[in-house]
Amino acid sequence: MPQGTCPECKATVHVDEDADKGDTIECDECGAVLRLVGLDPIELDLESDYEDDEEDDDDYDDDDYDDDDDGRDRYY
Ligand SMILES: [Zn+2]
């Protein structure tokens, strides 16, 4: 099982085999919520560091544009 180091208490944190980048893991030692930021090697960051970080916006919806104003069937 892959292991990382808790940035908070330096304890060894076991990371699930099928964990993926961006997953959060709780440190058994200090209870800090850690985010998996790298897989090879395992890199963990405190989740609280990411509170204001919106760049990892997975549920961004690329809304279909409602193309009711394209002029393809209009003839001027
Ligand atoms: Zn810890």
Side-chain angles (χ1 to χ4, degrees):
M1 187 180 268
Q3 305 181 336
T5 303
C6 173
E8 183 77 352
C9 68
K10 311 295 179 208
T12 300
V13 178
H14 297 276
V15 178
D16 221 44
E17 296 281 357
D18 54 2
D20 221 339
K21 240 179 175 172
D23 281 4
T24 51
I25 297 143
E26 204 170 304
C27 174
D28 285 339
E29 288 298 317
C30 68
V33 179
L34 310 174
R35 181 180 288 250
L36 187 59
V37 293
L39 292 172
D40 190 21
I42 299 291
E43 255 186 88
L44 297 163
D45 262 349
L46 281 174
E47 170 68 2
S48 55
D49 287 351
Y50 286 81
E51 268 173 12
D52 302 317
D53 192 348
E54 301 280 311
E55 78 180 340
D56 192 27
D57 200 356
D58 278 341
D59 40 32
Y60 191 88
D61 240 341
D62 70 304
D63 281 330
D64 281 339
Y65 275 60
D66 206 358
D67 269 353
D68 58 345
D69 201 23
D70 87 18
R72 269 182 302 185
D73 45 342
R74 287 189 198 171
Y75 298 95
Y76 292 104

